[in-house]
Amino acid sequence: MATSRTLRTRARILDAALDLFERQGYDATTVNQVAEAAGVTPMTFFRHFATKDAVLVTDPYDPLIAEAVGDQPGHLPPLERTRRGLLAALGDITPTEDATARRRVALVARSPSLRAAVAVGTEATQDAIVERLVADGTDRLDAAIAAAACLAATTAALLAWGTAPDDVTLAQLVRRALAHLAPAGAPS
Amino acid sequence: MATSRTLRTRARILDAALDLFERQGYDATTVNQVAEAAGVTPMTFFRHFATKDAVLVTDPYDPLIAEAVGDQPGHLPPLERTRRGLLAALGDITPTEDATARRRVALVARSPSLRAAVAVGTEATQDAIVERLVADGTDRLDAAIAAAACLAATTAALLAWGTAPDDVTLAQLVRRALAHLAPAGAPS
DNA sequence: ACCCAGAATGTTAGTGACTAACATTTGGTC
DNA sequence: GACCAAATGTTAGTCACTAACATTCTGGGT
């Protein structure tokens, strides 16, 4: 298969980008610099990552999250249903698979333009949740409000994790964030 | 004073932009087109609006909101304090001052790139709230979570308002959004 | 009416993210 | 060793945005 070469190139670009972004800042680093450091043409960079920020911002979790929300009891109000769904999907997440996750999040936390990119990505997740709730009869606006609030709290936790001490777990912070949205100091 | 000329030019640019954006879409419209339609140089466009999206996205409400949050009883949990503050600041808002508000919001609701710009703007509001809460002793992460959740719900209401029937009030939707975050079906 | 700062606009030239169309190389297969 | 297709390169362009400098207005004092 031809993917092995692809994967190696992609990894080289990613390494070079992470390195340069950390050393001189995201905004101060051009795609050309990253490409050159990776021994590659700028054009090739964009063939592997659709945008400059795509190197750092990726979230393929949408379908899982929407499913987890749908799995919660349908008689609950949308906010609580979403909250429990997110808790189920992310409450015990452990990004061991990707040791660079924290570096990426730390970079995102530092750059406004990157946080904007995260917001765009989050919107897709929000839409997925909304569609799932609407399918069960929830009013669209109510669903959007619930999803937006829960995801915003979760994102705040994610960004905080980027600059938190090493022994702090992402799952811990997410649980803490969602606990704030629990009905009146209620259980878990 | 020299501002009269400035205001007229700014208004011409704004009118031209709104018109073109509505007719051919935000992303499909270039700054050059807007400038030309306004009888002005692209450079002049940027002297009046720092970015292309600044024509549509502006929110000078940050200090008012932060103050309103600070005015709520300090013994309340941060989420409830923020919620009541936003309610006080926006719960009876009436954008009569600007008849184009709804057109602008409708445009924002249609374009992902514009929603990203809104997210960036909201971040400033969030920071203002967070600083105010932190000044009163709230933990920074808790403050960020509370502000993010409340503002996300509010933004969802704002975007919905853009495409809602004419007799629906922005204040109505904001109150509805924040009601979702009230502790256990509690009062107003 | 005249003049003159200073604001407002224009001009030119450039950077950086991204795209489209087409040419070239590379790696595995028969 | 020739062949096919994926991966990369090349070229040329668009668009948002910026900096430095030149020009034109506009209002206020004489």
Side-chain angles (χ1 to χ4, degrees), chain B residues 59-82:
Chain B
D59 38 328
Y61 294 115
D62 304 20
L64 284 83
I65 292 178
E67 193 189 352
V69 170
D71 286 347
Q72 305 306 312
H75 61 81
L76 293 171
L79 184 84
E80 180 59 9
R81 211 174 162 205
T82 306

Side-chain angles (χ1 to χ4, degrees), chain A residues 93-180:
Chain A
I93 202 172
T94 339
T96 47
E97 348 120 18
D98 187 354
T100 69
R102 204 168 198 136
R103 287 170 72 194
R104 291 212 303 269
V105 172
L107 279 167
V108 170
R110 272 187 235 130
S111 158
S113 32
L114 282 171
R115 289 196 297 271
V118 169
V120 171
T122 304
E123 221 176 300
T125 308
Q126 176 176 336
D127 290 347
I129 296 177
V130 167
E131 290 312 322
R132 185 58 232 254
L133 289 174
V134 165
D136 281 6
T138 304
D139 174 84
R140 185 160 229 108
L141 176 55
D142 291 334
I145 291 166
C150 288
L151 286 173
T154 305
T155 301
L158 178 69
L159 293 180
W161 177 67
T163 55
D166 275 12
D167 57 341
V168 176
T169 291
L170 174 56
Q172 279 175 2
L173 296 183
V174 169
R175 283 198 299 268
R176 181 160 153 204
L178 291 172
H180 280 272

Side-chain angles (χ1 to χ4, degrees), chain A residues 20-110:
Chain A
L20 286 173
F21 290 167
E22 282 174 346
R23 292 217 322 261
Q24 26 176 325
Y26 174 79
D27 291 303
T29 304
T30 71
V31 169
N32 290 40
Q33 290 173 351
V34 173
E36 191 180 4
V40 132
T41 290
M43 183 77 244
T44 296
F45 174 96
F46 286 112
R47 278 200 262 256
H48 288 268
F49 301 94
T51 58
K52 183 185 173 188
D53 47 56
V55 180
L56 298 173
V57 178
T58 322
D59 38 328
Y61 294 114
D62 305 20
L64 284 82
I65 292 177
E67 194 190 352
V69 170
D71 286 347
Q72 306 307 311
H75 60 81
L76 292 172
L79 183 84
E80 180 60 10
R81 212 174 162 204
T82 308
R83 196 183 73 85
R84 291 195 193 177
L86 278 175
L87 220 39
L90 306 175
D92 53 357
I93 202 172
T94 339
T96 47
E97 348 120 18
D98 187 354
T100 69
R102 204 168 198 136
R103 287 170 72 194
R104 291 212 303 269
V105 172
L107 279 167
V108 170
R110 272 187 235 130

